[in-house]
Amino acid sequence: MNTSATDSTATDKNRRPGMRDILCLAIGLAIATLGLLNSMPAIPGLPRVGPFGYEFMHPVMLGLAACAAVARSGLAWNRPVRSPALRVLVAVLDAALVGALLYTLADYYQTMMQLKSGLFFFDPRHAWIALAGVGLLLAICYRVWGLALTLVAGTALLYFYTGQYWPGLFNMVPVDWVEGTAESLWYNSSNGVLGSLLGIVINTILPFILLGALLEGTGAGGSMIRISLHAFRYARGGPAHAAILSSGLFGSVSGSAVANVVGTGVITIPMIRQRGFSPAFSGGIEATASSGGQIMPPIMGAAALVMADFTGISYLTIIVAAAVPALLYYGSLFIAVIFEARRLGIEAEPEVSELDPALMPTRQDWINLIMVVVPLTVVVVSLLVGFSPAGSGIMALASLVPLSLVLNPAIRKAPWQLVLALGRGGNSFATLLIAVAIVGIVVAVLSSTGLPIKFAQLISASASGSLFMSLLLAMFAALVLGMGMPTLPAYLTIILIMGPAMLRLGLEPLVAHMFVFYFGVASAITPPIAVAAFAAASISKASPLKTSVEATRIGLVIFILPFAFAFYPELLLVAEAGGSDRIIDLLSILLRLVLTIVLITTALAGFDKRALSRLNSAIRLALAVAMLVTWPWLHWPAFALGLALIVSHYLTPVKKEALA
């Protein structure tokens, strides 16, 4: 599996730094510094450098990102090169490729400035430069992100030039070679590779990427893992519960499911196996917890920040809307571990390895928690007092740096660790920016062809006016489109194609975006290409496909929740969702959802207090589905039957239970 280059450093920590590492650090620091200067909020009494114009900022940041990606992974050679002559040749080839891309970016700046100054016409030279820039970025994307994202963008590009030959729904008028290529793909301030989507990521997301990198660099991430392991050491699930808590908290900040699996899973997954869980379950629970971090407030990874810009809804409102579904999802993971532990007969006794002094939290670990709580609090408070999301992220960074120097002696002795963390954060952002630039190709094609509108009409016709069937079709389309992609580009690709269809269903924009966002997250654990589950399988030594199937079983609630808040938007708590403002309606669906989660989890595990028969499991699943139907005459009797079934299961002795 080709995972993101953002995760490659997990295996390189003990390697002696080379020239390429130093170059990556320098580029990462340049990205971090320029990005922070650009996003710095206006604070009375302090000078403000940015924001810079998009004509300058977009090509410079994308150029730096490309340099970092090539320097980090090596574009021209996938294996270590031992021959000095070949090393020189590879370096020259990489430099030539990056140099060519930088030339196309420099031409973007010059052309956009000319466009602003007056009358301007594109010529074939601009079309060839645009096509060369897109091709070079696709090559870099393949090396950094693998085949899935590259294939999606490549297919979109192929369709852009051959759409007039496609049948039916996909048929379109031919594009003008010069205008279509130059303006749609490259020289455009709204769409295309260097358009507004790239600007959203540069202006909004960078501070939060750097915040996650600093939390890890200051030791706060490791402290969360040790404290979580200590807190659950006498629970049945033990390290499995710890993995859910630590991965959920840290995944919210890091925004990358795969990076979170690699970062926390190397500690938690072996310990989950030692507690007695199967390798596939061990990897699956880590994958589900790490993926779900992106739906957990208050940070929610990068996609929620983009959602705020797309919808025009405040980031703080999105945080509030995400709270209840996220808590229900993580509650379902804890319940899944409890019943799996019961099924396997695992007792609440820690393994010797779990009591290893090296894994026991020290006084410093508890102090380091302050470095987690304070920045997250600063983010929320800054949003409440009126700062932008980017400004709130920078305020959190500004609080974390002095806190780490005051509270952590290791940072005081080696303050350059903060610089190294910023460099790593800049490199992580670079790989994300490459992905978003590639999604810009898809944006350009969709904007030029009007395909999303046609797709919306097709879904409406196929579903025959049924909201449920329309949502079901949208779910399958979202999972397919998100296969193999990280969450942010998956969410962007899905919402661009499915967004008009969602709005045609009568959903509020916030509900439609949250629906798509959830399935963008879910695609990381959904077979056959489940990037988070595959990353976990590489640590647990289980079959990747079996791990993804297990992760889907454990995290099934993430597939149910979007339908729940689509039909019951009051779950999102905010007026923008368009739900009922009566507290009784919220309590009604919450009560039914909690029992639904218990019934589904026990049915899929085949175990509650004791083993369940297939008939009992089937009945539980049927009642769980019935409880979510909007008709009161059906969901309340189903609720009563479900509750009675559980009570009778616990009260009936084993030998007299009819269905067990």
Side-chain angles (χ1 to χ4, degrees):
M1 185 193 71
N2 192 328
T3 58
S4 162
T6 57
D7 309 315
S8 62
T9 54
T11 57
D12 295 343
K13 290 182 178 178
N14 297 322
R15 181 171 56 80
R16 184 178 178 179
M19 185 60 91
R20 197 174 71 181
D21 300 296
I22 296 171
L23 181 60
C24 285
L25 175 63
I27 298 171
L29 285 173
I31 291 171
T33 303
L34 184 59
L36 289 176
L37 289 175
N38 178 68
S39 302
M40 190 74 69
I43 301 175
L46 293 178
R48 188 181 187 189
V49 180
F52 305 110
Y54 73 87
E55 305 92 346
F56 166 80
M57 196 66 183
H58 292 191
V60 168
M61 289 294 274
L62 185 56
L64 287 171
C67 291
V70 172
R72 187 168 190 161
S73 60
L75 178 61
W77 204 268
N78 288 330
R79 299 178 182 177
V81 181
R82 303 188 183 279
S83 167
L86 277 178
R87 278 202 299 269
V88 172
L89 179 62
V90 167
V92 170
L93 182 56
D94 283 348
L97 289 166
V98 172
L101 179 62
L102 293 179
Y103 173 78
T104 65
L105 294 170
D107 194 79
Y108 169 87
Y109 171 75
Q110 293 174 349
T111 302
M112 296 307 289
M113 296 305 290
Q114 290 173 350
L115 280 168
K116 287 181 68 176
S117 63
L119 192 63
F120 181 86
F121 295 99
F122 291 109
D123 58 43
R125 171 184 166 275
H126 294 101
W128 285 112
I129 288 176
L131 199 58
V134 168
L136 290 167
L137 281 172
L138 283 171
I140 294 173
C141 177
Y142 175 72
R143 184 66 190 95
V144 174
W145 288 107
L147 183 61
L149 183 56
T150 310
L151 191 61
V152 168
T155 303
L157 196 62
L158 176 66
Y159 175 65
F160 185 65
Y161 290 111
T162 63
Q164 66 270 29
Y165 303 114
W166 290 48
L169 170 76
F170 297 99
N171 186 264
M172 69 170 197
V173 297
V175 299
D176 180 82
W177 159 249
V178 175
E179 290 283 339
T181 301
E183 187 172 14
S184 297
L185 294 177
W186 201 253
Y187 303 98
N188 196 316
S189 61
S190 299
N191 299 315
V193 171
L194 292 135
S196 58
L197 187 58
L198 201 73
I200 292 172
V201 176
I202 292 171
N203 298 326
T204 304
I205 293 175
L206 178 60
F208 293 93
I209 300 288
L210 298 179
L211 179 62
L214 277 181
L215 282 173
E216 185 177 3
T218 55
S223 295
M224 280 195 292
I225 295 175
R226 285 187 289 273
I227 290 172
S228 298
L229 287 168
H230 180 73
F232 291 105
R233 67 193 186 281
Y234 292 114
R236 275 180 180 265
H241 290 310
I244 295 169
L245 180 61
S246 59
S247 296
L249 289 173
F250 200 69
S252 175
V253 181
S254 73
S256 170
V258 176
N260 199 20
V261 167
V262 174
T264 61
V266 291
I267 298 174
T268 58
I269 290 175
M271 297 180 68
I272 297 171
R273 287 191 59 178
Q274 290 171 0
R275 181 55 79 95
F277 294 98
S278 70
F281 184 89
S282 302
I285 196 66
E286 177 62 51
T288 53
S290 294
S291 300
Q294 295 164 98
I295 62 172
M296 175 61 74
I299 306 297
M300 297 176 63
L305 296 161
V306 177
M307 189 190 302
D309 278 274
F310 262 36
T311 60
I313 297 170
S314 75
Y315 179 48
L316 188 61
T317 300
I318 291 175
I319 290 174
V320 173
V324 170
L327 291 173
L328 288 169
Y329 174 68
Y330 274 94
S332 74
L333 298 186
F334 276 101
I335 292 171
V337 169
I338 290 171
F339 289 115
E340 183 71 10
R342 286 183 183 178
R343 186 180 73 82
L344 297 174
I346 296 173
E347 298 298 330
E349 291 293 336
E351 296 286 336
V352 174
S353 60
E354 293 173 40
L355 301 177
D356 185 341
L359 294 174
M360 295 294 286
T362 63
R363 180 174 175 270
Q364 186 59 49
D365 287 320
W366 294 100
I367 294 174
N368 284 352
L369 276 187
I370 299 174
M371 295 190 295
V372 178
V373 174
V374 170
L376 296 184
T377 304
V378 168
V379 168
V380 175
V381 172
S382 298
L383 290 170
L384 288 172
V385 300
F387 279 95
S388 67
S392 302
I394 290 177
M395 297 297 288
L397 279 170
S399 69
L400 179 57
V401 172
L403 267 177
S404 63
L405 290 168
V406 170
L407 298 177
N408 194 339
I411 299 299
R412 287 199 299 273
K413 292 177 183 177
W416 58 84
Q417 292 295 329
L418 296 176
V419 178
L420 295 176
L422 280 175
R424 287 192 293 269
N427 277 281
S428 296
F429 179 76
T431 57
L432 177 63
L433 203 63
I434 295 294
V436 172
I438 295 301
V439 172
I441 300 171
V442 180
V443 174
V445 173
L446 295 177
S447 300
S448 301
T449 61
L451 188 61
I453 303 300
K454 295 180 181 179
F455 201 66
Q457 293 170 345
L458 176 65
I459 287 184
S460 298
S462 302
S464 302
S466 167
L467 177 60
F468 176 73
M469 290 304 300
S470 298
L471 290 175
L472 203 61
L473 287 171
M475 178 195 76
F476 284 119
L479 290 175
V480 170
L481 290 169
M483 268 184 202
M485 285 201 266
T487 301
L488 179 58
Y491 160 70
L492 291 171
T493 304
I494 296 163
I495 196 62
L496 288 167
I497 296 175
M498 300 299 304
M502 298 278 94
L503 297 178
R504 275 175 173 264
L505 301 176
L507 300 180
E508 294 294 325
L510 176 60
V511 178
H513 277 256
M514 287 288 285
F515 186 94
V516 166
F517 177 41
Y518 261 67
F519 287 111
V521 172
S523 66
I525 61 170
T526 308
I529 306 173
V531 289
F534 286 10
S538 68
I539 301 172
S540 67
K541 309 302 180 187
S543 160
L545 187 59
K546 189 174 181 180
T547 302
S548 64
V549 170
E550 195 73 355
T552 302
R553 177 182 74 83
I554 298 165
L556 188 66
V557 170
I558 203 171
F559 299 88
I560 296 172
L561 285 171
F563 288 92
F565 58 65
F567 285 98
Y568 300 97
E570 51 269 19
L571 276 171
L572 300 183
L573 301 180
V574 296
E576 288 80 356
S580 168
D581 57 359
R582 297 195 312 163
I583 190 67
I584 189 67
D585 293 329
L586 175 61
L587 292 176
S588 167
I589 182 57
L590 278 177
L591 192 63
R592 285 181 280 135
L593 263 175
V594 169
L595 186 57
T596 295
I597 289 170
V598 173
L599 289 174
I600 289 176
T601 304
T602 54
L604 294 178
F607 204 93
D608 192 338
K609 184 181 179 181
R610 50 188 166 269
L612 301 176
S613 68
R614 290 183 180 179
L615 177 59
N616 194 314
S617 295
I619 292 173
R620 290 180 181 225
L621 288 174
L623 291 173
V625 171
M627 278 192 288
L628 298 181
V629 174
T630 54
W631 302 323
W633 57 265
L634 178 59
H635 64 232
W636 284 121
F639 177 84
L641 287 173
L643 192 60
L645 186 63
I646 289 178
V647 170
S648 66
H649 176 78
Y650 277 79
L651 294 180
T652 306
V654 177
K655 61 182 180 179
K656 293 183 180 180
E657 187 177 13
L659 297 176

